[in-house]
Amino acid sequence: MIKTLLFGLSFFVTLASMAAKVDSLNVPSTVMQRTMRAVIVLPESYAKSKANYPVLYLLHGGYGHFNDWITKSPDKNLIQRLADQYNLIIAMPEGEVFSYYLDSPVRKDSQFETYLTKEVISKLDNTYRTIRDRKGRVITGLSMGGYGSLLLAARHPDLYCAAGSMSGALNPDMQSWKLPPDMAKGIKQEFEKILGPIEQVPDTYATFSVINLADRLKANGQKLIFDCGVDDFLIEPNRELHRRFVFNQTPHDYSERPGGHSWEYWQNSLPNHALFFHNVLKENGSITQ
């Protein structure tokens, strides 16, 4: 019995020693004149290697924060396990509750496109051993983060070789979103804070629609993956982006699966994105081991 207990204890200690490291990083923003935080997950192999690692930027959703993927996913070890499985650094930066990861033309303290593409990447590259090239960077996220990842990829093809979206809120005009009127009104008001009233600046909303960036994403030649649950209130915008990619012949991986706008769905979706990105990074010669 004692030998069995000792063996079991040794087994779990061994598992713990193999776990990825969860780090917290302060990322100062010159453009917004404040400092925000990010969660960084380093694969177990990082401490024993001198190699440079590819980075997966993983964005949180609306009304959330940088640590959502670690604290809200039902599987609390999901991110660490994926980092170990694919030898990836996984970076989860702050996007605040409703920034949509864009540079707001209304609020000077909400310039998250510049923050993510310049300040966060620079801080990460100067803190960890990363591949400082687009061939070693990929990006995805959920809901607002899915929108943000495709927007940033479309506008910065020099930074990311692949991008994804889970249940992406792809169009700020909210056309075809299936929401109760009260909820739709509240979200519309949040968009007005960062973009202005849609009735006054419809062209701004059109410019920031990922659906309207389908041709640009095709021209960029990045590898793309996105999905949405069939019961999600955002299913129709995702289907529309898929239709546009089919029409303009953009290679992409699109899927619909059972589920709604939930952590259970995103927990099941993320491993598919990680595998997709692994294959892209392998093709690029950016896999460490």
Side-chain angles (χ1 to χ4, degrees):
M1 172 68 76
I2 293 176
K3 288 183 178 180
T4 302
L5 289 174
L6 288 174
F7 174 79
L9 178 61
S10 174
F11 176 73
F12 285 112
V13 168
T14 300
L15 282 180
S17 69
M18 292 176 63
K21 177 184 176 183
V22 179
D23 204 358
S24 179
L25 184 68
N26 288 330
V27 185
S29 173
T30 300
V31 69
M32 291 187 283
Q33 298 185 342
R34 52 199 169 106
T35 296
M36 286 163 284
R37 296 174 66 197
V39 171
I40 312 298
V41 176
L42 303 172
E44 183 270 340
S45 63
Y46 183 89
K48 302 176 182 179
S49 171
K50 295 182 179 180
N52 294 333
Y53 281 69
V55 181
L56 163 58
Y57 287 88
L58 181 58
L59 307 184
H60 67 78
Y63 304 101
H65 287 288
F66 69 98
N67 58 353
D68 281 5
W69 276 101
I70 293 291
T71 61
K72 293 185 178 180
S73 179
D75 181 354
K76 303 306 179 189
N77 295 313
L78 173 65
I79 307 301
Q80 298 93 311
R81 191 165 59 251
L82 291 174
D84 278 342
Q85 182 177 356
Y86 294 114
N87 278 309
L88 277 171
I89 295 174
I90 302 180
M92 291 154 279
E94 179 63 72
E96 292 196 332
V97 297
F98 212 91
S99 72
Y100 266 70
Y101 301 98
L102 53 82
D103 283 351
S104 169
V106 177
R107 292 181 51 187
K108 297 303 180 185
D109 64 343
S110 188
Q111 304 293 301
F112 279 84
E113 178 179 349
T114 297
Y115 177 65
L116 266 289
T117 59
K118 294 185 178 179
E119 297 174 326
V120 172
I121 288 178
S122 175
K123 180 66 175 180
L124 229 75
D125 285 349
N126 287 306
T127 304
Y128 303 101
R129 297 192 315 274
T130 63
I131 296 175
R132 302 186 179 196
D133 187 274
R134 72 182 296 275
K135 70 179 182 180
R137 288 192 206 101
V138 296
I139 185 169
T140 192
L142 68 89
S143 193
M144 178 182 83
Y147 166 88
S149 66
L150 292 181
L151 177 78
L152 297 178
R155 293 164 67 93
H156 300 274
D158 57 316
L159 295 181
Y160 313 99
C161 65
S165 169
M166 293 165 268
S167 311
L170 304 178
N171 53 329
D173 62 15
M174 299 175 62
Q175 293 297 313
S176 72
W177 290 25
K178 298 177 180 179
L179 286 173
D182 287 348
M183 187 177 294
K185 180 180 178 180
I187 295 176
K188 182 176 183 291
Q189 290 172 344
E190 294 297 327
F191 275 121
E192 289 177 351
K193 293 177 183 178
I194 58 173
L195 295 176
I198 189 171
E199 296 82 6
Q200 298 177 19
V201 288
D203 290 347
T204 298
Y205 281 74
T207 297
F208 281 108
S209 172
V210 168
I211 294 173
N212 292 338
L213 294 174
D215 288 339
R216 183 181 293 191
L217 284 163
K218 177 186 179 180
N220 289 350
Q222 295 147 314
K223 306 296 185 181
L224 303 171
I225 179 172
F226 66 109
D227 58 80
C228 194
V230 293
D231 299 318
D232 198 301
F233 67 91
L234 293 167
I235 186 65
E236 291 304 328
N238 281 271
R239 286 172 173 167
E240 178 60 24
L241 181 61
H242 169 57
R243 284 191 289 266
R244 295 199 185 194
F245 280 155
V246 170
F247 180 79
N248 72 3
Q249 299 182 324
T250 300
H252 65 289
D253 185 315
Y254 175 68
S255 60
E256 297 179 5
R257 294 192 301 278
H261 212 71
S262 69
W263 279 102
E264 288 75 16
Y265 179 87
W266 302 319
Q267 175 177 281
N268 290 330
S269 178
L270 183 58
N272 295 321
H273 286 233
L275 175 59
F276 179 89
F277 292 140
H278 171 77
N279 291 332
V280 174
L281 294 166
K282 184 177 181 180
E283 185 179 326
N284 289 347
S286 299
I287 296 298
T288 302
Q289 295 179 358

